[in-house]
Amino acid sequence: VQLQASGGGLVQPGGSLRLSCTASGYTFYHYGIGWFRQAPGKDIEGLSCSSTNDGLVYYADSVKGRFTLSKDTAKNTVYLEMNGLKPEDTAVYFCAIDHEPRYPARTICEALTYEYRGQGTLVTVSS
C-alpha cells in the first residue's frame, strides 16, 4: 500500500486548502482512513478519520466545523477540505490507513491505530 498526499502550501489566515491522498495497492471497500498532522516539536494529531468498522466520521475538536473529510472511491482518493485556516494549523499533514479496518473512526484518530501512512504535505498558514 502506498499513499501520496498533495495539496499543501502557503495560505493566509482565514484561507482554504484542499488536500488529496491517493492510494495505490489498496481499494476503498472496507477501510479505515484518516488525516493526521504533526507540527514542529509536537505529537502527531489525528484530525479526521472514517471507518467502515463503525460507519462514522470523526473530527477532532480542533478542526470540527472547519475541516471536512470526503472520499472518491472510484479514484482511490480521500480529501481534506480545510477552511478558516489558522496559524496553529501549520504542520505536515499526512493520510494513513487501517486497512481491515480493525477499529472505529475515533480510535484510529485518537490512538493512531493506522498501519500504513504516506509522506506528508506541508501546510503553512501565515500572513
Side-chain angles (χ1 to χ4, degrees):
V1 177
Q2 291 187 327
L3 302 168
Q4 181 63 54
S6 61
L10 174 64
V11 62
Q12 292 186 341
S16 299
L17 281 175
R18 188 177 79 158
L19 305 183
S20 301
C21 174
T22 300
S24 57
Y26 182 76
T27 301
F28 291 143
Y29 183 63
H30 294 296
Y31 59 86
I33 191 161
W35 283 97
F36 304 79
R37 69 185 178 191
Q38 188 167 27
K42 295 189 175 181
D43 293 333
I44 294 172
E45 179 185 12
L47 305 176
S48 179
C49 294
S50 175
S51 177
T52 55
N53 181 285
D54 61 352
L56 297 177
V57 180
Y58 166 83
Y59 292 95
D61 288 343
S62 59
V63 304
K64 195 175 296 182
R66 299 189 299 127
F67 291 11
T68 303
L69 182 150
S70 62
K71 303 174 293 294
D72 185 333
T73 55
K75 295 182 178 180
N76 271 3
T77 299
V78 62
Y79 304 97
L80 186 68
E81 187 76 35
M82 306 187 295
N83 299 309
L85 284 163
K86 307 173 182 179
E88 51 264 42
D89 292 318
T90 294
V92 173
Y93 287 67
F94 65 91
C95 58
I97 284 176
D98 169 7
H99 84 287
E100 291 190 10
R102 302 165 296 166
Y103 299 105
R106 181 168 185 162
T107 301
I108 296 173
C109 262
E110 292 188 337
L112 310 181
T113 55
Y114 50 80
E115 299 169 278
Y116 306 98
R117 60 167 285 183
Q119 291 184 331
T121 184
L122 176 63
V123 173
T124 304
V125 185
S126 175
S127 55

